[in-house]
Amino acid sequence: MADFESVHTMTDFYDGPRRGVADFKGAPHFYESTFGDVGDVPDDTNDIFQLSPITDDAFQLALEDWAIWLRWQAANQRGETSNETHPALPIDRPRHDELQPMLDRLLKIDPDNLVNAYAEFYNNGSQLEVRWTVVPPVA
């Protein structure tokens, strides 16, 4: 759809995406909801997200960890693994455990380089997409 961009990862979900990596103006950004809980959002407003650009290295590591989770999810849906192994299959667990501290360090909102935006998420049938609407800074 016009103006929609790719959502590459969704590492937190509660009544919708809360955190992950998505494109903003064609470049990968870390996105994070500013609300701790969807219940914090008044009915007449939209959730605001903060976005900060990430390096290509951080993007590649995020995609690698996302692929690990997708393999776990597929196996779990087929009944080949239990929820106790979440979020990685036993064979992938060592790499996931290695990636996690790196991603925790790399995927953060940079207070000196962020954009606030509303998000409209859309599932096109094969991939989640998002349209960002920038929130003007308060003067």
Side-chain angles (χ1 to χ4, degrees):
M1 292 180 70
D3 301 330
F4 278 81
E5 299 189 79
S6 295
V7 175
H8 301 287
T9 75
M10 182 177 39
T11 55
D12 193 10
F13 182 92
Y14 182 83
D15 285 345
R18 305 280 99 204
R19 181 182 303 124
V21 175
D23 287 345
F24 174 69
K25 295 186 177 182
H29 282 62
F30 175 66
Y31 68 88
E32 185 170 48
S33 168
T34 60
F35 292 99
D37 185 325
V38 171
D40 295 340
V41 183
D43 292 336
D44 60 347
T45 64
N46 291 314
D47 196 358
I48 296 175
F49 288 79
Q50 293 183 326
L51 299 103
S52 287
I54 61 174
T55 66
D56 188 56
D57 287 342
F59 181 52
Q60 295 307 317
L61 293 173
L63 290 178
E64 182 182 355
D65 198 51
W66 185 244
I68 288 170
W69 183 83
L70 289 174
R71 286 192 295 274
W72 175 87
Q73 181 191 39
N76 184 262
Q77 289 176 342
R78 292 188 305 266
E80 297 171 0
T81 193
S82 68
N83 288 340
E84 286 77 33
T85 63
H86 183 268
L89 295 169
I91 193 167
D92 288 327
R93 175 62 65 174
R95 181 60 177 156
H96 168 75
D97 290 347
E98 183 181 352
L99 289 169
Q100 210 52 65
M102 290 186 277
L103 292 171
D104 289 345
R105 188 179 77 256
L106 294 170
L107 298 181
K108 292 187 178 199
I109 297 299
D110 178 353
D112 296 323
N113 190 8
L114 69 86
V115 172
N116 289 309
Y118 296 115
E120 179 185 349
F121 292 96
Y122 172 75
N123 187 335
N124 70 16
S126 63
Q127 181 180 347
L128 189 61
E129 298 178 322
V130 64
R131 177 175 22 214
W132 301 109
T133 303
V134 174
V135 176
V138 177

